[in-house]
Amino acid sequence: MSNWEKNVRKVVPYVPGEQPKLTSMIKLNTNENPYPPAPGVAKALASYDVDKERLYPDPTADVLVSALAKYHGIDKENVFVGVGSDDVLSMCFLTFFNGERPILFPDITYSFYDVWAGLYRIPYKTKALDEDFNIVPEDYFEENGGVVFANPNAPTGALMSLEGIRTILEHNRDVVVIADEAYIDFGGDTALPLIREFDNLLVVRTFSKSRSMAGTRIGYAMGDKKIIKYLNDAKFSFNSYTMNRTSLAMGAASVEDEEYFRKTIDRIVATRERVKKELKTLGFTFADSKSNFIFASYKTKKAEDIFTALREENIFVRYFKKPRIDNYLRITIGTDEEMDTLISFLKKYL
Ligand SMILES: *Cc1c(COP(=O)(O)O)cnc(C)c1O
């Protein structure tokens, strides 16, 4: 028997949420946006010149980087783009978490962080969220090799205040701190203004949730020019042409339509607040969510059983069989109609 497997980089992969191939279902399991992307996105795709596919795309992704820089009132040199924020975060882990000390992140958070740490052989330590699922900033004061957190956090939806983030930064001047703001458009203060003060801060965003473009795969990071330069050096050592031509055009079109963006977000936030009331009335408990999902628990019925019952109705929510959270369901906010169907089923079932 050959022994090539001893040289394999063995990893325990991330398991993404299910993407069922059903034509009719209520899909509330991966925090996608129930509304279509901005109308300009469809136009950009319709007017796309397919002959251009012969040519490599712009390796600097300039149309998209410029649109994002203008939108956030920063320079192009402050923006790094990638194939979804998973690609951006992975590149950040590879580039900045390169020390001997363990990196720190919460025990309950985006379950990709420990996967990248495993992939790149980065030592890590997790810090327990408090009883109410809040991040405790003081836990991140000890010496470490870097800090990463999602804000609002996933899958809890809980928001850390800007003061909390600031204290973490003040105690972590010598390592890179990553704020994963996948859900910040749905509520809460962004850490973005702090990039001017802290050159070791990276703020990471995605087009997958608030911009209804999970299928396009666009994410980005914002930070000081020096930190963005290091990220680009790593990216150009990995894959120069990460962003394809259509996603560059579609992404830029999305950023240009602020009115539509605000409108869909306002709608999701309004639905979220209504669903919170309904779930409370039904007897669910949950931490206050500032994201496009609610992480809820029901005292007298197992989350896993509710999950299975919903699944039989073709209503998909997310269930994590993990310590501390194995009696919770993460329910994405869909359209009002979808949420009404969910609520009426729960009324009958519980
Ligand atoms: C969805 C999500 C991402 C990944 O988003 P993509 O841009 O689709 O790769 C990253 N971080 C958190 C916390 C998320 O929930």
Side-chain angles (χ1 to χ4, degrees), residues 182-202:
Y183 301 102
I184 199 74
D185 294 320
F186 300 105
D189 292 325
T190 173
L192 183 58
L194 299 177
I195 66 167
R196 297 192 194 277
E197 217 176 312
F198 298 93
D199 64 0
N200 58 325
L201 169 65
L202 278 166

mmCIF file of all heavy atoms in Angstrom, residues 182-202:
data_model
loop_
_atom_site.group_PDB
_atom_site.id
_atom_site.type_symbol
_atom_site.label_atom_id
_atom_site.label_comp_id
_atom_site.label_asym_id
_atom_site.label_seq_id
_atom_site.Cartn_x
_atom_site.Cartn_y
_atom_site.Cartn_z
ATOM 1 N N ALA A 182 -21.025 40.735 8.642
ATOM 2 C CA ALA A 182 -21.931 40.160 7.642
ATOM 3 C C ALA A 182 -23.363 40.678 7.792
ATOM 4 O O ALA A 182 -24.106 40.759 6.816
ATOM 5 C CB ALA A 182 -21.911 38.634 7.728
ATOM 6 N N TYR A 183 -23.750 41.020 9.041
ATOM 7 C CA TYR A 183 -25.157 41.378 9.303
ATOM 8 C C TYR A 183 -25.350 42.815 9.770
ATOM 9 O O TYR A 183 -26.437 43.195 10.177
ATOM 10 C CB TYR A 183 -25.741 40.417 10.356
ATOM 11 C CG TYR A 183 -25.675 38.985 9.902
ATOM 12 C CD1 TYR A 183 -24.702 38.122 10.391
ATOM 13 C CD2 TYR A 183 -26.564 38.502 8.949
ATOM 14 C CE1 TYR A 183 -24.626 36.809 9.953
ATOM 15 C CE2 TYR A 183 -26.494 37.196 8.503
ATOM 16 C CZ TYR A 183 -25.527 36.351 9.004
ATOM 17 O OH TYR A 183 -25.447 35.063 8.557
ATOM 18 N N ILE A 184 -24.304 43.637 9.719
ATOM 19 C CA ILE A 184 -24.367 44.965 10.330
ATOM 20 C C ILE A 184 -25.404 45.875 9.656
ATOM 21 O O ILE A 184 -25.953 46.764 10.295
ATOM 22 C CB ILE A 184 -22.972 45.638 10.339
ATOM 23 C CG1 ILE A 184 -22.916 46.776 11.373
ATOM 24 C CG2 ILE A 184 -22.582 46.158 8.964
ATOM 25 C CD1 ILE A 184 -22.854 46.339 12.790
ATOM 26 N N ASP A 185 -25.717 45.610 8.375
ATOM 27 C CA ASP A 185 -26.696 46.461 7.694
ATOM 28 C C ASP A 185 -28.095 46.328 8.289
ATOM 29 O O ASP A 185 -28.952 47.179 8.069
ATOM 30 C CB ASP A 185 -26.749 46.131 6.200
ATOM 31 C CG ASP A 185 -25.444 46.475 5.491
ATOM 32 O OD1 ASP A 185 -24.871 47.536 5.808
ATOM 33 O OD2 ASP A 185 -25.005 45.686 4.644
ATOM 34 N N PHE A 186 -28.335 45.258 9.044
ATOM 35 C CA PHE A 186 -29.663 45.043 9.639
ATOM 36 C C PHE A 186 -29.784 45.667 11.028
ATOM 37 O O PHE A 186 -30.814 45.526 11.682
ATOM 38 C CB PHE A 186 -29.973 43.541 9.708
ATOM 39 C CG PHE A 186 -29.977 42.876 8.366
ATOM 40 C CD1 PHE A 186 -28.932 42.065 7.968
ATOM 41 C CD2 PHE A 186 -31.030 43.085 7.478
ATOM 42 C CE1 PHE A 186 -28.929 41.456 6.715
ATOM 43 C CE2 PHE A 186 -31.033 42.483 6.218
ATOM 44 C CZ PHE A 186 -29.986 41.670 5.846
ATOM 45 N N GLY A 187 -28.740 46.325 11.503
ATOM 46 C CA GLY A 187 -28.837 47.010 12.796
ATOM 47 C C GLY A 187 -27.514 47.070 13.518
ATOM 48 O O GLY A 187 -26.715 46.143 13.423
ATOM 49 N N GLY A 188 -27.291 48.164 14.237
ATOM 50 C CA GLY A 188 -26.065 48.287 15.019
ATOM 51 C C GLY A 188 -25.059 49.220 14.379
ATOM 52 O O GLY A 188 -25.170 49.579 13.210
ATOM 53 N N ASP A 189 -24.071 49.629 15.191
ATOM 54 C CA ASP A 189 -23.051 50.569 14.715
ATOM 55 C C ASP A 189 -21.874 49.806 14.127
ATOM 56 O O ASP A 189 -21.345 48.883 14.731
ATOM 57 C CB ASP A 189 -22.543 51.431 15.878
ATOM 58 C CG ASP A 189 -23.620 52.374 16.392
ATOM 59 O OD1 ASP A 189 -24.416 52.854 15.555
ATOM 60 O OD2 ASP A 189 -23.667 52.612 17.606
ATOM 61 N N THR A 190 -21.470 50.245 12.947
ATOM 62 C CA THR A 190 -20.311 49.620 12.311
ATOM 63 C C THR A 190 -19.009 50.083 12.981
ATOM 64 O O THR A 190 -18.925 51.209 13.480
ATOM 65 C CB THR A 190 -20.256 49.955 10.811
ATOM 66 O OG1 THR A 190 -19.021 49.454 10.287
ATOM 67 C CG2 THR A 190 -20.345 51.436 10.536
ATOM 68 N N ALA A 191 -18.016 49.203 12.952
ATOM 69 C CA ALA A 191 -16.691 49.547 13.476
ATOM 70 C C ALA A 191 -15.868 50.298 12.430
ATOM 71 O O ALA A 191 -14.721 50.663 12.677
ATOM 72 C CB ALA A 191 -15.964 48.275 13.906
ATOM 73 N N LEU A 192 -16.467 50.536 11.248
ATOM 74 C CA LEU A 192 -15.712 51.133 10.145
ATOM 75 C C LEU A 192 -14.947 52.422 10.504
ATOM 76 O O LEU A 192 -13.783 52.551 10.141
ATOM 77 C CB LEU A 192 -16.634 51.351 8.936
ATOM 78 C CG LEU A 192 -15.969 51.908 7.684
ATOM 79 C CD1 LEU A 192 -14.835 51.007 7.210
ATOM 80 C CD2 LEU A 192 -16.990 52.117 6.577
ATOM 81 N N PRO A 193 -15.581 53.384 11.217
ATOM 82 C CA PRO A 193 -14.835 54.614 11.524
ATOM 83 C C PRO A 193 -13.534 54.347 12.302
ATOM 84 O O PRO A 193 -12.601 55.147 12.234
ATOM 85 C CB PRO A 193 -15.810 55.426 12.388
ATOM 86 C CG PRO A 193 -17.157 54.862 12.114
ATOM 87 C CD PRO A 193 -16.958 53.434 11.739
ATOM 88 N N LEU A 194 -13.468 53.220 12.997
ATOM 89 C CA LEU A 194 -12.291 52.912 13.815
ATOM 90 C C LEU A 194 -11.068 52.529 12.984
ATOM 91 O O LEU A 194 -9.958 52.467 13.512
ATOM 92 C CB LEU A 194 -12.612 51.794 14.824
ATOM 93 C CG LEU A 194 -13.718 52.104 15.849
ATOM 94 C CD1 LEU A 194 -13.989 50.892 16.725
ATOM 95 C CD2 LEU A 194 -13.340 53.304 16.710
ATOM 96 N N ILE A 195 -11.248 52.269 11.671
ATOM 97 C CA ILE A 195 -10.067 51.916 10.856
ATOM 98 C C ILE A 195 -9.102 53.094 10.737
ATOM 99 O O ILE A 195 -7.928 52.902 10.457
ATOM 100 C CB ILE A 195 -10.409 51.353 9.442
ATOM 101 C CG1 ILE A 195 -11.071 52.413 8.557
ATOM 102 C CG2 ILE A 195 -11.246 50.076 9.539
ATOM 103 C CD1 ILE A 195 -11.148 52.015 7.075
ATOM 104 N N ARG A 196 -9.609 54.315 10.945
ATOM 105 C CA ARG A 196 -8.725 55.488 10.875
ATOM 106 C C ARG A 196 -7.835 55.577 12.110
ATOM 107 O O ARG A 196 -6.760 56.135 12.091
ATOM 108 C CB ARG A 196 -9.543 56.778 10.743
ATOM 109 C CG ARG A 196 -10.345 56.813 9.477
ATOM 110 C CD ARG A 196 -10.919 58.203 9.187
ATOM 111 N NE ARG A 196 -11.949 58.137 8.146
ATOM 112 C CZ ARG A 196 -11.693 58.127 6.835
ATOM 113 N NH1 ARG A 196 -10.466 58.178 6.384
ATOM 114 N NH2 ARG A 196 -12.689 58.065 5.974
ATOM 115 N N GLU A 197 -8.342 55.019 13.205
ATOM 116 C CA GLU A 197 -7.645 55.092 14.484
ATOM 117 C C GLU A 197 -6.769 53.864 14.734
ATOM 118 O O GLU A 197 -5.729 53.960 15.383
ATOM 119 C CB GLU A 197 -8.728 55.162 15.562
ATOM 120 C CG GLU A 197 -8.415 56.032 16.729
ATOM 121 C CD GLU A 197 -9.635 56.061 17.647
ATOM 122 O OE1 GLU A 197 -10.764 56.273 17.120
ATOM 123 O OE2 GLU A 197 -9.470 55.853 18.837
ATOM 124 N N PHE A 198 -7.242 52.711 14.255
ATOM 125 C CA PHE A 198 -6.536 51.447 14.520
ATOM 126 C C PHE A 198 -6.117 50.812 13.195
ATOM 127 O O PHE A 198 -6.953 50.289 12.466
ATOM 128 C CB PHE A 198 -7.437 50.492 15.308
ATOM 129 C CG PHE A 198 -7.841 51.014 16.664
ATOM 130 C CD1 PHE A 198 -9.024 51.717 16.830
ATOM 131 C CD2 PHE A 198 -7.026 50.811 17.774
ATOM 132 C CE1 PHE A 198 -9.395 52.210 18.077
ATOM 133 C CE2 PHE A 198 -7.390 51.293 19.025
ATOM 134 C CZ PHE A 198 -8.576 52.001 19.181
ATOM 135 N N ASP A 199 -4.805 50.841 12.934
ATOM 136 C CA ASP A 199 -4.344 50.308 11.643
ATOM 137 C C ASP A 199 -4.288 48.777 11.627
ATOM 138 O O ASP A 199 -3.942 48.175 10.619
ATOM 139 C CB ASP A 199 -2.988 50.912 11.244
ATOM 140 C CG ASP A 199 -1.871 50.547 12.208
ATOM 141 O OD1 ASP A 199 -2.127 49.824 13.205
ATOM 142 O OD2 ASP A 199 -0.730 50.981 11.962
ATOM 143 N N ASN A 200 -4.642 48.166 12.757
ATOM 144 C CA ASN A 200 -4.668 46.692 12.848
ATOM 145 C C ASN A 200 -6.099 46.141 12.773
ATOM 146 O O ASN A 200 -6.321 44.961 13.009
ATOM 147 C CB ASN A 200 -4.018 46.233 14.154
ATOM 148 C CG ASN A 200 -4.687 46.826 15.383
ATOM 149 O OD1 ASN A 200 -5.144 47.972 15.349
ATOM 150 N ND2 ASN A 200 -4.771 46.074 16.460
ATOM 151 N N LEU A 201 -7.076 47.013 12.439
ATOM 152 C CA LEU A 201 -8.480 46.579 12.366
ATOM 153 C C LEU A 201 -8.897 46.313 10.921
ATOM 154 O O LEU A 201 -8.623 47.114 10.030
ATOM 155 C CB LEU A 201 -9.395 47.661 12.961
ATOM 156 C CG LEU A 201 -10.906 47.477 12.731
ATOM 157 C CD1 LEU A 201 -11.448 46.230 13.437
ATOM 158 C CD2 LEU A 201 -11.676 48.721 13.186
ATOM 159 N N LEU A 202 -9.572 45.204 10.719
ATOM 160 C CA LEU A 202 -10.185 44.904 9.429
ATOM 161 C C LEU A 202 -11.689 44.741 9.630
ATOM 162 O O LEU A 202 -12.125 44.001 10.520
ATOM 163 C CB LEU A 202 -9.627 43.605 8.852
ATOM 164 C CG LEU A 202 -8.298 43.718 8.115
ATOM 165 C CD1 LEU A 202 -7.714 42.337 7.900
ATOM 166 C CD2 LEU A 202 -8.446 44.455 6.787
#
